[in-house]
Amino acid sequence: KKREKEEEQGEPSHLTKEDIQGAVLQMNEKAAYDRSVNRAIEKISSCALGEEPEDTLQALQSSLLSVGEFDEQNYVRYHKALQRAVEEKGQDLTLDEVNEVIEEVNNQLRLEKLFADGMEDINCRLKGEEPGVLLQALHNPHCHLDHIQEENALHYLSLLQAMAAAKAERTGDPDAQLTKDEVQSAISKANAQTLECIEFVEAVSAINAAIAGGDARETLSALKSPTLGIRSITEECAQTYQEKLAEAKAQKEAAVGVTEGWSEHHTRQGLVYFHNRSTGASQWERPEDFSGESQDLNREEIQDIVTKVTADYDRWALLKANEPVVVQLQSLWRGRLVRKAFHHRLDYLNSCEKEAVRVQSVWKGFKQRRAYKERLDYLNSQTDAAIKLESLVKMWKCRKSYRNRLHFFRDNEDAVVKIQSFWRAKRAKRDYKQLVEVSQPPTSAVRRFLALLEQSDIDFSEELECQRLKAQVVQKIRSNQQLEQDLSIMDIKIGLLVKNRISLEDVVSHTHQVSRNKKRHGATAGGQDPSSGVSTGIGGLSKGTQEKIEGYQHLFYLMQTKPHYFAKLIFEMPQSKTNRFMENVILTVFNYASNNREQYLLLKLFETALNEEVSLKVDKIMDIVTGNPTVIKMVVHYTRGEQRNNVLRDLFGPLVREILGHEDWALQTTPVDVYRSWINQMEMQTGEATKLPYDVSNDQALDHEEVRKKIGRTVEILKDVVGRFQQSIFDSIDNIPYGMRYIAMQLRLALHKKFPEAPTDEILKVVGNLLYYRYMNPAIVAPDAFDIVDVSVESQLSTDQRRNLASIAKVLQAAASGKPFEGENAALASVNPFIADSFVKFREFFLKASTVTPAEEKFGIDEYSDVIMLTKPIIYISVKEICSTHSLLVDHEDAIAPDPNDQLHVILRDLGPSPSVESLLGGVREPAPGEDKADVITEAGKQELPLTLTNKFEGLAEDDSSNMKALFVRTKRMVVDVLRVQAGENLTEVLYTPASSEQEEEHQALIQRREKQEVSKMQRSSTMKKSESMVGDRNLPLEGMKRKIMRNLRTLEQEGMVNSTNDYQEVISAIAKDIRNQHRYRQQRKLELTRLQETLDKLNKKTTFYEEQMDYYHLYVKACLDNLAKAGSGGKGKRAARAARLAEGEFKKQTIKYTAQKLYEKGVILEIEGLPNHQFKYAVFEITSVGVGTFEVLGKFMGFEVQKVELVFQDLLQLQYEGLAVMKMFGRAKINVNLLIFLINKKFYGRVS
């Protein structure tokens, strides 16, 4: 103010009061205005942050603010822009900032206005038909459209017009306008279609250029262009495509003439595009100088030509693939036409037959006569020259043919050899097929394979090896049986010794007896060479004794091959001796069935004995189940032999071991046992006596819930375990020994024959009793006894384990027999449905198991098997068994062989009376001091002798007709010798065709070679059978042999064994059967060698196990003897000395005498049937110790000897062990077993137990 005043006055001045007051007032007004403006600006910022755009508009319209121009209609845009600015700044805006935001919004509105005008202009231009005007509108920079190409203006127009029309139709608004994106998408689509069209027309031009170039491969490559999408192109038609397309192009050029180079193309999208092949230009507008025609082929024309060519090729390929059918159709049609013409011609000729024949005959006769005369005249004039020329030409042709053929063969030598080998192999296969499959094979096929009947050195070596292994197996079986028996007795004796029931002397005595048996078996095995068939025992026999041994060889061969002798002898013997006879003699005679022949013969024995027993001793079907048939016992004993235990071990071993592993199981099925076990358990857990009664019935026990629960759990376990046992049994049907299944089948057939009206189920129950109860069940109940599980010497099965196995076997037996639980076993009634279902499965199993192939087919055995054997069968039998068998046969001779002419009578007469062991051996050694001679004889009787079995009645008859089978075999052997050197269509032709000298020489060479081979084999082994080729018919000359064969054949034909009408085909068929059997026998022998070796290995392991047990027992006895020796003097010292003497083999007999009255008073005798008590004083009993543990009891009445029996102390202990308190002696006296043992212990062993 002052400055203004000074400027006005032009000199320094001072403000007046009025000036100062005016300035202050002015300044106050200015401050008030500024505050109003600031509030207006703050209001704009606060309204911008609000949600009401109208408030922002009012704040902007304030008169206090100098805000720039803005469009009130777009106040929302201003509101949002101000809101963003305030939020970005984070505080109120200034006036300048507000103006900047308004100016920015105004610029955006202005640009949007220009864009909208531009888009409106584009949509307006679409209503016209001027591409240039549209192009200018599209170039408007405010529309921001890209990639606009001027040459595509026409296509832009068409696409945009189509898009606008589609949008109008879609929206229903005729004035609907396209947006920028829609326009841009149309431009991009037009550009892309333009590029596709350019590629399309260039591809068409490339095809036309390739066609013009004439290169089919380039044309094919151009046709495969994916741009054109030409269909049905086949590479095989490339040349045809070129030719057809070139032809079409040439025709089109000729029709069109010279053009400007333009061509019109229609794309796959339906678009039309123009291309100039001369300049390479292309466009959417139709060129002004385009006449509408072009020399180039378009896509449609090319596709039509390709389609036609490919179709023609496909049709040709189809016809080519079906050429045989087409040819057949053509041939049928042509044949029809030819036949039709032929029939027309034939009808005509038939109508003129007479005239034609006459004309032909006249003309042919004339021509033939003329030609004949001319040729005859010429040949007559040139005879010598013709002959010479003919000979030269024929010679030249023969030499040429021979040389060509020889050269051809030399060039193809490998092929010739291959063809020959193929042809020979084919013939061999054909002949072998005839030999094997045809019932009556031709002679040529049989002759080809005659070499298979020869016995080679390999066959002989294998046979000797079989004999050696079989001998070792048999001896090892017998040794193991003796060891097992000795160990069983030893086990019981040591158990009784521990319980103070017998003396140590008995145990020591038995120990030495076991040692002697072991040494004897070792000496037997070491003193014999099975491969040579010579034993040291036989070598020391006298000549007379050896002759008797040969008689026994004949006897046992007859007993082995004729099963009815043993079958009848079994039923003549007491039943108590059958098992021992079975073990000691029958299995020995049949070599424990160690090969197929002896297994077959043993099964035939069982079959014969079974049929005998069923027909004579079985009155009801169930007699076999309730009784104890002899044959069934023998079969079960046989099938549990050393070589067959593995079947049951493999069948039940895993399951039994699993059951034994469950030591916590207590499978009790009796309610009383479960009840008492429960009480014991409660008392052990609580330590207090229970108030429940101990003695209850089954029903009372079942009243307790805990008992029912325990039985329920046991039942569930039993059902599960029994089901697994069943499945194992069902799956093992092929592993059950053939012998057991064969006897089961024979039992089923015998019962059907004896009881034809019996139900099948009843018979199958009997079969099941054999297969399961007698064969399988004992292995489950006592697995340690049947080697199912391995149990050491120190450990045995516990009571609970045995009870568990017994419970499982109980349910299995019920399932196998179909018998439900009831009565005492009513607690298991819940298992009955399971039993019923299982029996149905068992019944099917029993039927399948008892259905097998015949034994003859299984083992390949027939009546000629022994004849073709390479070596004779050998058995190993003890001297005592020979004497016992002889004695039994003599005692029952008439019952066994009722026919007085039976061969058995002849052999028994030759053998004479039954010998003793001493007489058969020709004497025994002198007994040692203190040794009884009876013991020496007993020990000598256990010596084993090898017997080479021979047929006494083979080849003895001079008259061939007396034994037709033997005659047939001899004839067959001679026929084999003849066929080896002479061939023919059949046997009759061979026999009636004279032999040449070469064939006779070959036959003699064959005889000499066979003799040398057999001499060599006889030197190697005495068991080798001497062939009949050494003497007799097979040494005859070839013609003499043929005459002998014809005489034998006439004899056999009279007996009906052969027939001359079929050229004695029976003999050829029998030879073929021998060849087949020989091959089968070789295979069986190899299997037998393997089986024997495996069996021997297992037997050796078992022997080792028994010897370990024996060593364990020896150590125990030795420890007892040592303790006894240290016991001091007195009675114990005497007892020790006595044990020591006994250990050294010394023994002294003792005898005690008692009257029956005295024994009655002691309680030893309870009563004597038929003798009153007051006469007991006249009866005397003398008891003499005749050996360690063996006593002889002599009964006397009034001084006269009445009867003598042998008493074995071990048998008494066994009776006591089994709980039998009373036994019979002499068949009349009832003896108290316990008191008798007490008496023997007191008097003979100096001890009271």
Side-chain angles (χ1 to χ4, degrees):
K1 189 70 175 176
K2 183 180 179 181
R3 191 168 48 252
E4 289 177 359
K5 189 175 180 179
E6 289 176 350
E7 288 176 355
E8 289 177 359
Q9 294 178 3
E11 56 182 9
S13 61
H14 297 283
L15 294 176
T16 63
K17 179 181 179 184
E18 289 79 8
D19 292 335
I20 294 171
Q21 288 179 346
V24 171
L25 181 60
Q26 186 180 359
M27 292 176 64
N28 290 335
E29 291 177 355
K30 177 65 174 174
Y33 177 76
D34 290 340
R35 285 194 296 272
S36 299
V37 171
N38 289 334
R39 284 195 296 270
I41 292 173
E42 291 175 356
K43 185 176 180 181
I44 290 174
S45 297
S46 63
C47 290
L49 291 175
E51 299 296 334
E52 298 294 336
E54 293 81 1
D55 296 341
T56 305
L57 178 62
Q58 292 178 1
L60 290 173
Q61 290 175 347
S62 174
S63 58
L64 298 175
L65 301 175
S66 56
V67 180
E69 295 182 359
F70 62 89
D71 186 3
E72 295 182 357
Q73 294 180 353
N74 293 309
Y75 65 92
V76 177
R77 296 278 296 277
Y78 294 117
H79 170 75
K80 292 182 178 179
L82 290 169
Q83 189 179 44
R84 285 195 300 272
V86 173
E87 290 176 351
E88 291 175 358
K89 186 176 182 181
Q91 59 185 3
D92 294 340
L93 302 175
T94 63
L95 182 60
D96 293 336
E97 292 174 341
V98 171
N99 285 326
E100 289 177 0
V101 171
I102 291 173
E103 183 62 25
E104 182 181 354
V105 173
N106 289 337
N107 290 334
Q108 291 178 356
L109 292 174
R110 189 163 45 255
L111 291 175
E112 290 177 359
K113 179 69 170 57
L114 292 173
F115 173 76
D117 293 341
M119 294 304 299
E120 185 177 1
D121 183 45
I122 291 173
N123 282 281
C124 290
R125 298 292 186 271
L126 293 178
K127 296 180 180 179
E129 297 294 337
E130 298 181 4
V133 176
L134 175 63
L135 189 63
Q136 292 177 358
L138 292 175
H139 277 298
N140 188 343
H142 298 293
C143 293
H144 304 290
L145 296 174
D146 301 328
H147 308 297
I148 300 172
Q149 301 175 4
E150 293 182 2
E151 61 270 16
N152 297 336
L154 180 61
H155 196 44
Y156 293 157
L157 178 62
S158 60
L159 282 181
L160 289 171
Q161 285 177 344
M163 188 177 291
K167 187 172 183 179
E169 183 179 357
R170 186 174 67 253
T171 60
D173 182 8
D175 297 329
Q177 295 189 356
L178 299 176
T179 64
K180 173 184 177 293
D181 294 338
E182 292 173 337
V183 173
Q184 184 64 57
S185 66
I187 291 171
S188 300
K189 183 177 180 181
N191 293 338
Q193 289 180 346
T194 300
L195 293 175
E196 291 178 359
C197 290
I198 291 172
E199 294 176 356
F200 181 84
V201 298
E202 289 177 351
V204 174
S205 297
I207 293 175
N208 283 277
I211 294 171
D215 191 340
R217 288 182 293 180
E218 291 185 2
T219 303
L220 180 64
S221 176
L223 288 173
K224 288 183 177 181
S225 173
T227 304
L228 295 178
I230 301 296
R231 303 180 304 276
S232 306
I233 297 175
T234 304
E235 293 186 0
E236 290 79 359
C237 302
Q239 187 61 38
T240 308
Y241 291 152
Q242 173 65 33
E243 295 172 357
K244 294 295 182 182
L245 289 171
E247 181 182 350
K249 183 174 176 61
Q251 291 176 358
K252 194 171 185 180
E253 290 176 350
V256 173
V258 180
T259 62
E260 300 81 3
W262 287 98
S263 58
E264 180 180 350
H265 298 275
H266 295 269
T267 66
R268 288 182 291 177
Q269 292 81 14
L271 302 176
V272 179
Y273 199 67
F274 299 92
H275 176 71
N276 192 316
R277 63 179 173 83
S278 300
T279 62
S282 56
Q283 61 188 36
W284 289 100
E285 293 93 351
R286 184 182 183 89
E288 294 179 358
D289 57 348
F290 180 49
S291 62
E293 295 181 347
S294 173
Q295 293 180 345
D296 292 343
L297 298 175
N298 57 32
R299 180 187 179 281
E300 290 75 14
E301 293 171 338
I302 295 171
Q303 181 64 65
D304 292 341
I305 292 172
V306 169
T307 302
K308 184 175 182 304
V309 170
T310 304
D312 292 342
Y313 174 77
D314 293 340
R315 180 173 178 77
W316 176 85
L318 177 64
L319 294 176
K320 184 66 175 177
N322 296 277
E323 184 176 358
V325 179
V326 174
V327 171
Q328 187 176 5
L329 290 174
Q330 290 177 344
S331 65
L332 291 175
W333 179 250
R334 289 172 181 168
R336 181 179 180 279
L337 295 178
V338 171
R339 284 192 296 274
K340 183 177 179 182
F342 172 76
H343 286 305
H344 289 164
R345 183 68 178 169
L346 186 62
D347 293 340
Y348 171 76
L349 293 176
N350 288 333
S351 63
C352 303
E353 183 177 2
K354 294 181 180 180
E355 293 81 0
V357 170
R358 188 178 296 111
V359 170
Q360 287 178 350
S361 64
V362 172
W363 177 245
K364 289 179 178 178
F366 170 75
K367 287 180 64 179
Q368 188 68 27
R369 284 191 295 273
R370 185 181 65 182
Y372 174 74
K373 289 180 180 180
E374 292 176 353
R375 186 67 177 168
L376 185 61
D377 293 340
Y378 175 77
L379 293 176
N380 288 332
S381 63
Q382 303 290 335
T383 302
D384 297 337
I387 293 173
K388 187 172 183 179
L389 286 174
E390 285 179 353
S391 64
L392 291 174
V393 170
K394 289 179 180 178
M395 181 176 61
W396 175 79
K397 288 178 66 177
C398 289
R399 280 200 302 269
K400 181 180 179 181
S401 176
Y402 172 76
R403 288 174 179 173
N404 291 339
R405 194 66 176 169
L406 183 62
H407 182 69
F408 174 77
F409 284 144
R410 287 174 177 173
D411 291 342
N412 298 276
E413 185 175 355
D414 294 338
V416 170
V417 172
K418 186 178 292 185
I419 292 172
Q420 288 176 343
S421 63
F422 173 77
W423 175 248
R424 290 167 181 166
K426 183 177 180 181
R427 288 185 60 189
K429 290 180 181 178
R430 182 194 64 191
D431 292 341
Y432 184 75
K433 187 174 182 181
Q434 290 177 339
L435 179 72
V436 174
E437 298 180 358
V438 179
S439 60
Q440 295 183 350
T443 304
S444 59
V446 174
R447 185 175 183 273
R448 175 182 286 272
F449 297 99
L450 285 177
L452 296 177
L453 289 174
E454 289 289 344
Q455 300 290 345
S456 64
D457 290 339
I458 296 177
D459 293 326
F460 184 67
S461 300
E462 289 182 351
E463 196 71 30
L464 293 182
E465 180 66 13
C466 270
Q467 283 190 16
R468 186 185 66 81
L469 290 176
K470 185 166 62 176
Q472 293 181 2
V473 166
V474 171
Q475 291 173 355
K476 188 63 70 174
I477 288 174
R478 295 171 68 90
S479 174
N480 282 352
Q481 287 179 345
Q482 183 64 45
L483 272 174
E484 185 177 11
Q485 181 180 356
D486 292 339
L487 285 172
S488 177
I489 297 173
M490 192 73 177
D491 187 47
I492 296 175
K493 283 183 178 292
I494 290 180
L496 295 173
L497 175 64
V498 172
K499 296 180 180 179
N500 204 28
R501 303 302 296 273
I502 63 174
S503 65
L504 180 60
E505 289 88 335
D506 291 333
V507 181
V508 174
S509 173
H510 186 71
T511 303
H512 287 286
Q513 180 64 33
V514 172
S515 299
R516 285 195 297 272
N517 290 338
K518 182 178 178 182
K519 291 179 181 179
R520 177 174 51 80
H521 283 290
T524 302
Q528 179 181 324
D529 182 9
S531 63
S532 65
V534 178
S535 169
T536 57
I538 289 182
L541 299 180
S542 63
K543 181 179 179 181
T545 303
Q546 289 185 2
E547 292 177 354
K548 199 157 193 174
I549 291 297
E550 291 179 2
Y552 284 121
Q553 291 174 345
H554 299 152
L555 173 65
F556 285 111
Y557 179 85
L558 184 67
M559 298 293 290
Q560 192 186 65
T561 55
K562 305 295 183 181
H564 62 275
Y565 293 129
F566 269 132
K568 291 183 179 180
L569 180 60
I570 288 170
F571 296 109
E572 292 296 328
M573 296 169 52
Q575 189 171 2
S576 59
K577 296 184 179 180
T578 304
N579 277 350
R580 187 172 297 275
F581 184 72
M582 171 74 178
E583 294 177 13
N584 295 342
V585 178
I586 294 182
L587 289 181
T588 300
V589 171
F590 291 93
N591 264 331
Y592 293 88
S594 56
N595 61 21
N596 286 340
R597 173 187 176 274
E598 286 149 0
Q599 189 174 355
Y600 166 79
L601 294 174
L602 182 59
L603 289 180
K604 282 300 178 182
L605 165 62
F606 289 152
E607 177 186 351
T608 305
L610 181 64
N611 290 327
E612 183 85 7
E613 187 167 17
V614 170
S615 65
L616 298 178
K617 296 189 176 183
V618 176
D619 298 326
K620 296 182 296 183
I621 289 182
M622 298 310 291
D623 286 350
I624 296 180
V625 177
T626 57
N628 195 15
T630 302
V631 180
I632 298 299
K633 289 193 301 181
M634 294 168 60
V635 170
V636 173
H637 179 79
Y638 155 70
T639 52
R640 288 178 184 160
E642 295 286 348
Q643 304 178 53
R644 299 164 186 85
N645 269 347
N646 288 335
V647 175
L648 294 176
R649 185 183 180 93
D650 296 339
L651 176 59
F652 296 126
L655 290 173
V656 170
R657 284 191 290 272
E658 181 181 349
I659 301 303
L660 297 179
H662 289 282
E663 297 181 356
D664 57 330
W665 279 5
L667 304 181
Q668 296 176 333
T669 57
T670 305
V672 173
D673 294 339
V674 176
Y675 172 79
R676 291 174 178 172
S677 176
W678 172 50
I679 289 178
N680 293 336
Q681 184 180 0
M682 285 194 303
E683 290 178 347
M684 289 176 63
Q685 291 176 352
T686 61
E688 298 178 358
T690 181
K691 297 181 180 180
L692 296 174
Y694 192 77
D695 294 326
V696 295
S697 63
N698 285 339
D699 294 336
Q700 291 172 339
L702 288 173
D703 291 338
H704 297 276
E705 180 66 22
E706 185 64 24
V707 174
R708 293 196 296 272
K709 288 182 179 179
K710 286 180 178 291
I711 291 179
R713 286 193 296 268
T714 298
V715 166
E716 292 302 321
I717 294 175
L718 286 175
K719 288 168 67 175
D720 175 63
V721 174
V722 169
R724 292 163 60 191
F725 268 92
Q726 285 181 181
Q727 192 59 46
S728 178
I729 292 172
F730 299 154
D731 294 341
S732 68
I733 187 169
D734 294 330
N735 297 328
I736 298 176
Y738 173 82
M740 174 59 72
R741 295 182 63 185
Y742 181 77
I743 296 304
M745 180 177 72
Q746 297 303 323
L747 175 62
R748 177 168 57 82
L749 297 177
L751 292 176
H752 268 301
K753 182 178 180 181
K754 181 72 177 290
F755 306 99
E757 298 179 357
T760 304
D761 284 358
E762 293 300 318
I763 294 177
L764 289 178
K765 284 183 180 180
V766 178
V767 174
N769 179 265
L770 169 62
L771 288 174
Y772 173 74
Y773 181 73
R774 296 182 184 273
Y775 175 59
M776 298 181 181
N777 187 70
I780 300 175
V781 176
D784 51 341
F786 292 93
D787 200 24
I788 305 301
V789 294
D790 296 325
V791 180
S792 63
V793 180
E794 298 85 355
S795 62
Q796 297 294 329
L797 300 185
S798 65
T799 304
D800 288 340
Q801 289 174 329
R802 293 192 184 277
R803 181 172 55 241
N804 293 341
L805 293 173
S807 299
I808 294 170
K810 179 180 180 180
V811 178
L812 266 176
Q813 172 59 19
S817 62
K819 185 177 181 181
F821 290 108
E822 53 191 6
E824 295 181 356
N825 297 316
L828 296 177
S830 59
V831 191
N832 287 341
F834 174 78
I835 296 297
D837 294 340
S838 299
F839 176 67
V840 176
K841 300 176 183 178
F842 265 113
R843 182 175 55 192
E844 182 180 356
F845 167 75
F846 293 147
L847 182 59
K848 289 182 179 179
S850 61
T851 304
V852 293
T853 57
E856 290 79 7
E857 182 178 346
K858 169 70 176 178
F859 299 109
I861 304 295
D862 56 23
E863 63 270 21
Y864 307 119
S865 297
D866 279 3
V867 178
I868 65 172
M869 283 180 62
L870 184 60
T871 58
K872 300 174 184 179
I874 302 176
I875 65 172
Y876 302 88
I877 187 169
S878 68
V879 176
K880 182 180 180 182
E881 290 168 349
I882 293 175
C883 298
S884 300
T885 306
H886 190 176
S887 177
L888 286 171
L889 291 174
V890 171
D891 293 342
H892 306 285
E893 182 177 0
D894 294 335
I896 296 173
D899 184 3
N901 297 322
D902 196 288
Q903 295 175 348
L904 181 63
H905 297 309
V906 177
I907 294 177
L908 290 179
R909 281 197 300 270
D910 293 343
L911 287 172
S914 174
S916 63
V917 172
E918 189 175 4
S919 62
L920 182 59
L921 291 175
V924 295
R925 65 179 176 84
E926 292 296 326
E931 186 179 13
D932 196 355
K933 187 174 182 179
D935 295 335
V936 176
I937 295 175
T938 301
E939 183 177 352
K942 295 179 180 180
Q943 179 182 351
E944 292 181 357
L945 301 179
L947 299 183
T948 303
L949 304 187
T950 55
N951 186 0
K952 177 180 177 64
F953 305 99
E954 181 180 10
L956 294 181
E958 296 294 336
D959 185 7
D960 290 339
S961 62
S962 63
N963 192 337
M964 290 297 108
K965 288 185 178 180
L967 178 63
F968 184 86
V969 172
R970 290 196 295 275
T971 304
K972 182 177 63 175
R973 287 184 174 182
M974 289 189 290
V975 170
V976 170
D977 286 344
V978 172
L979 290 178
R980 289 184 191 278
V981 297
Q982 190 171 352
E985 289 296 325
N986 51 59
L987 183 57
T988 303
E989 179 181 338
V990 172
L991 294 176
Y992 285 94
T993 301
S996 63
S997 58
E998 292 82 3
Q999 292 172 342
E1000 185 67 45
E1001 291 176 0
E1002 183 180 357
H1003 175 67
Q1004 292 300 324
L1006 177 65
I1007 293 175
Q1008 294 175 4
R1009 185 167 61 252
R1010 185 188 296 123
E1011 288 179 351
K1012 291 179 180 179
Q1013 291 176 351
E1014 292 183 355
V1015 168
S1016 174
K1017 292 177 182 178
M1018 291 290 291
Q1019 291 174 351
R1020 292 171 59 187
S1021 173
S1022 63
T1023 60
M1024 176 68 191
K1025 293 175 66 176
K1026 188 174 182 180
S1027 174
E1028 292 181 7
S1029 63
M1030 300 290 288
V1031 292
D1033 298 335
R1034 298 187 72 185
N1035 279 345
L1036 293 173
L1038 188 57
E1039 286 298 324
M1041 184 177 290
K1042 289 163 68 174
R1043 288 192 295 271
K1044 181 70 172 178
I1045 291 172
M1046 287 187 284
R1047 287 197 302 271
N1048 291 351
L1049 289 175
R1050 285 192 292 270
T1051 303
L1052 292 172
E1053 187 174 13
Q1054 292 175 359
E1055 297 295 328
M1057 298 183 69
V1058 296
N1059 194 341
S1060 59
T1061 58
N1062 62 358
D1063 298 316
Y1064 306 108
Q1065 182 63 39
E1066 292 83 3
V1067 178
I1068 301 299
S1069 299
I1071 296 173
K1073 185 177 181 182
D1074 287 345
I1075 295 174
R1076 293 193 297 268
N1077 289 341
Q1078 185 72 11
H1079 176 65
R1080 189 182 301 114
Y1081 177 72
R1082 288 190 175 102
Q1083 291 179 327
Q1084 290 174 351
R1085 184 172 58 204
K1086 291 184 181 299
L1087 293 175
E1088 185 179 346
L1089 279 171
T1090 303
R1091 188 176 68 250
L1092 285 172
Q1093 188 61 54
E1094 292 175 353
T1095 302
L1096 187 60
D1097 293 340
K1098 293 174 183 177
L1099 288 170
N1100 287 330
K1101 291 180 181 178
K1102 195 166 186 179
T1103 301
T1104 302
F1105 173 72
Y1106 287 153
E1107 289 175 348
E1108 289 175 355
Q1109 282 188 314
M1110 186 56 62
D1111 292 340
Y1112 177 81
Y1113 288 149
H1114 279 309
L1115 291 175
Y1116 178 79
V1117 174
K1118 185 176 182 300
C1120 292
L1121 287 172
D1122 292 342
N1123 293 334
L1124 190 60
K1126 296 176 183 179
S1129 59
K1132 292 184 178 179
K1134 294 178 181 178
R1135 198 177 310 154
R1138 186 164 57 249
R1141 289 195 305 271
L1142 188 61
E1144 296 173 358
E1146 298 181 8
F1147 177 78
K1148 184 178 181 180
K1149 290 187 176 182
Q1150 289 181 274
T1151 303
I1152 59 172
K1153 295 181 180 179
Y1154 284 99
T1155 62
Q1157 181 65 36
K1158 189 66 175 178
L1159 293 177
Y1160 179 73
E1161 294 173 357
K1162 290 180 175 291
V1164 177
I1165 293 179
L1166 301 179
E1167 66 171 322
I1168 300 177
E1169 296 177 0
L1171 187 67
N1173 291 353
H1174 64 274
Q1175 294 185 2
F1176 280 8
K1177 59 184 177 181
Y1178 302 115
V1180 178
F1181 290 85
E1182 293 183 2
I1183 304 176
T1184 305
S1185 60
V1186 295
V1188 178
T1190 305
F1191 303 90
E1192 188 178 84
V1193 181
L1194 177 63
K1196 294 183 179 180
F1197 186 74
M1198 299 183 70
F1200 294 97
E1201 185 175 318
V1202 177
Q1203 197 171 356
K1204 181 188 297 184
V1205 297
E1206 185 181 81
L1207 185 64
V1208 181
F1209 192 59
Q1210 177 63 36
D1211 294 340
L1212 293 177
L1213 295 174
Q1214 186 68 30
L1215 293 175
Q1216 186 185 51
Y1217 178 73
E1218 295 173 356
L1220 298 178
V1222 179
M1223 62 172 284
K1224 272 194 174 185
M1225 187 180 293
F1226 306 118
R1228 299 170 60 186
K1230 290 185 178 180
I1231 307 297
N1232 187 307
V1233 175
N1234 294 322
L1235 294 180
L1236 182 58
I1237 292 174
F1238 177 87
L1239 179 65
I1240 292 174
N1241 270 328
K1242 181 178 180 181
K1243 296 299 181 180
F1244 291 95
Y1245 298 122
R1247 63 187 297 170
V1248 178
S1249 57

